[in-house]
CSV table of all heavy atoms in Angstrom, one decimal:
chain,number,residue,atom,x,y,z
B,232,GLN,N,-100.4,90.5,-4.6
B,232,GLN,CA,-100.7,89.8,-5.9
B,232,GLN,C,-101.4,88.4,-5.6
B,232,GLN,O,-102.1,87.9,-6.5
B,232,GLN,CB,-99.5,89.6,-6.7
B,232,GLN,CG,-98.8,90.9,-7.2
B,232,GLN,CD,-97.7,90.6,-8.2
B,232,GLN,OE1,-98.0,90.2,-9.3
B,232,GLN,NE2,-96.5,90.8,-7.7
B,246,ARG,N,-113.9,65.3,7.7
B,246,ARG,CA,-114.6,66.2,6.8
B,246,ARG,C,-113.7,66.8,5.7
B,246,ARG,O,-112.4,66.6,5.8
B,246,ARG,CB,-115.3,67.3,7.5
B,246,ARG,CG,-116.1,66.8,8.6
B,246,ARG,CD,-117.4,66.3,8.1
B,246,ARG,NE,-118.5,67.2,8.5
B,246,ARG,CZ,-119.7,67.0,8.6
B,246,ARG,NH1,-120.1,65.7,8.4
B,246,ARG,NH2,-120.6,67.9,8.9
B,248,SER,N,-111.7,69.9,4.0
B,248,SER,CA,-111.1,71.1,4.2
B,248,SER,C,-110.9,71.8,2.8
B,248,SER,O,-110.4,71.2,1.9
B,248,SER,CB,-109.7,71.1,4.8
B,248,SER,OG,-109.8,70.5,6.1
B,250,LEU,N,-109.4,75.3,1.2
B,250,LEU,CA,-108.5,76.5,1.4
B,250,LEU,C,-108.5,77.2,0.1
B,250,LEU,O,-108.3,76.7,-1.0
B,250,LEU,CB,-107.1,76.1,1.8
B,250,LEU,CG,-107.1,75.4,3.1
B,250,LEU,CD1,-106.7,73.9,3.0
B,250,LEU,CD2,-106.2,76.1,4.1
B,252,CYS,N,-107.5,80.6,-2.5
B,252,CYS,CA,-106.5,81.6,-2.9
B,252,CYS,C,-106.9,82.3,-4.1
B,252,CYS,O,-107.5,81.8,-5.0
B,252,CYS,CB,-105.2,80.7,-3.2
B,252,CYS,SG,-103.8,81.7,-3.7
B,264,TRP,N,-99.1,74.7,-3.8
B,264,TRP,CA,-99.6,74.8,-2.4
B,264,TRP,C,-98.5,74.2,-1.5
B,264,TRP,O,-97.9,73.1,-1.9
B,264,TRP,CB,-100.9,74.0,-2.2
B,264,TRP,CG,-102.1,74.7,-2.7
B,264,TRP,CD1,-102.6,74.6,-3.9
B,264,TRP,CD2,-102.8,75.7,-1.9
B,264,TRP,NE1,-103.8,75.5,-4.0
B,264,TRP,CE2,-103.9,76.1,-2.8
B,264,TRP,CE3,-102.7,76.2,-0.6
B,264,TRP,CZ2,-104.8,77.1,-2.4
B,264,TRP,CZ3,-103.7,77.1,-0.2
B,264,TRP,CH2,-104.7,77.5,-1.1
B,285,LYS,N,-107.7,71.1,-12.9
B,285,LYS,CA,-107.7,70.2,-11.7
B,285,LYS,C,-106.5,69.4,-11.7
B,285,LYS,O,-106.0,68.9,-12.7
B,285,LYS,CB,-109.0,69.4,-11.8
B,285,LYS,CG,-109.1,68.4,-10.7
B,285,LYS,CD,-110.4,67.5,-10.9
B,285,LYS,CE,-110.5,66.4,-9.8
B,285,LYS,NZ,-111.7,65.5,-10.1
B,294,PHE,N,-108.0,72.9,-7.5
B,294,PHE,CA,-108.8,73.4,-8.6
B,294,PHE,C,-108.4,74.8,-9.0
B,294,PHE,O,-108.1,75.6,-8.1
B,294,PHE,CB,-110.3,73.4,-8.1
B,294,PHE,CG,-110.8,72.1,-7.8
B,294,PHE,CD1,-110.8,71.6,-6.5
B,294,PHE,CD2,-111.4,71.3,-8.8
B,294,PHE,CE1,-111.3,70.3,-6.2
B,294,PHE,CE2,-112.0,70.0,-8.5
B,294,PHE,CZ,-111.9,69.6,-7.2
B,295,LEU,N,-108.4,75.0,-10.3
B,295,LEU,CA,-108.0,76.4,-10.8
B,295,LEU,C,-109.1,76.9,-11.7
B,295,LEU,O,-109.5,76.2,-12.6
B,295,LEU,CB,-106.7,76.3,-11.6
B,295,LEU,CG,-106.2,77.5,-12.3
B,295,LEU,CD1,-105.9,78.6,-11.3
B,295,LEU,CD2,-105.0,77.3,-13.1
B,310,GLN,N,-107.4,65.2,8.4
B,310,GLN,CA,-106.8,64.4,9.5
B,310,GLN,C,-106.1,65.4,10.4
B,310,GLN,O,-105.7,66.5,10.0
B,310,GLN,CB,-105.7,63.4,9.0
B,310,GLN,CG,-106.3,62.4,8.0
B,310,GLN,CD,-105.2,61.5,7.4
B,310,GLN,OE1,-104.0,61.8,7.6
B,310,GLN,NE2,-105.6,60.5,6.6
B,325,ASN,N,-91.8,82.2,-16.1
B,325,ASN,CA,-90.6,82.6,-16.9
B,325,ASN,C,-89.4,81.9,-16.3
B,325,ASN,O,-89.3,81.4,-15.2
B,325,ASN,CB,-90.4,84.1,-16.8
B,325,ASN,CG,-91.4,84.9,-17.5
B,325,ASN,OD1,-92.2,84.4,-18.3
B,325,ASN,ND2,-91.6,86.1,-17.0
B,331,VAL,N,-94.4,84.2,-5.9
B,331,VAL,CA,-95.1,85.1,-5.0
B,331,VAL,C,-96.0,84.3,-4.1
B,331,VAL,O,-96.8,83.5,-4.6
B,331,VAL,CB,-95.9,86.1,-5.8
B,331,VAL,CG1,-96.6,87.1,-4.8
B,331,VAL,CG2,-95.1,86.9,-6.7
B,337,ARG,N,-104.3,79.2,8.4
B,337,ARG,CA,-104.0,78.2,9.4
B,337,ARG,C,-105.2,77.3,9.5
B,337,ARG,O,-106.3,77.7,9.8
B,337,ARG,CB,-103.8,78.9,10.8
B,337,ARG,CG,-103.5,77.9,11.9
B,337,ARG,CD,-103.2,78.7,13.2
B,337,ARG,NE,-102.1,79.6,13.1
B,337,ARG,CZ,-100.8,79.2,13.1
B,337,ARG,NH1,-100.5,78.0,13.3
B,337,ARG,NH2,-99.8,80.1,13.0
B,338,LEU,N,-104.9,76.0,9.2
B,338,LEU,CA,-105.9,75.0,9.3
B,338,LEU,C,-105.8,74.2,10.6
B,338,LEU,O,-104.7,73.8,10.9
B,338,LEU,CB,-105.8,74.0,8.1
B,338,LEU,CG,-106.7,72.8,8.1
B,338,LEU,CD1,-108.2,73.2,8.0
B,338,LEU,CD2,-106.3,71.8,7.0
B,342,PRO,N,-110.2,66.7,16.3
B,342,PRO,CA,-110.5,65.3,16.4
B,342,PRO,C,-112.0,65.0,16.8
B,342,PRO,O,-112.6,65.9,17.4
B,342,PRO,CB,-109.5,64.7,17.5
B,342,PRO,CG,-108.9,65.9,18.1
B,342,PRO,CD,-109.3,67.2,17.3
Side-chain angles (χ1 to χ4, degrees):
Chain B
Q232 296 187 72
R246 309 280 253 205
S248 295
L250 298 112
C252 180
W264 282 94
K285 176 183 174 181
F294 296 91
L295 175 61
Q310 300 172 354
N325 293 339
V331 180
R337 181 177 301 278
L338 174 65

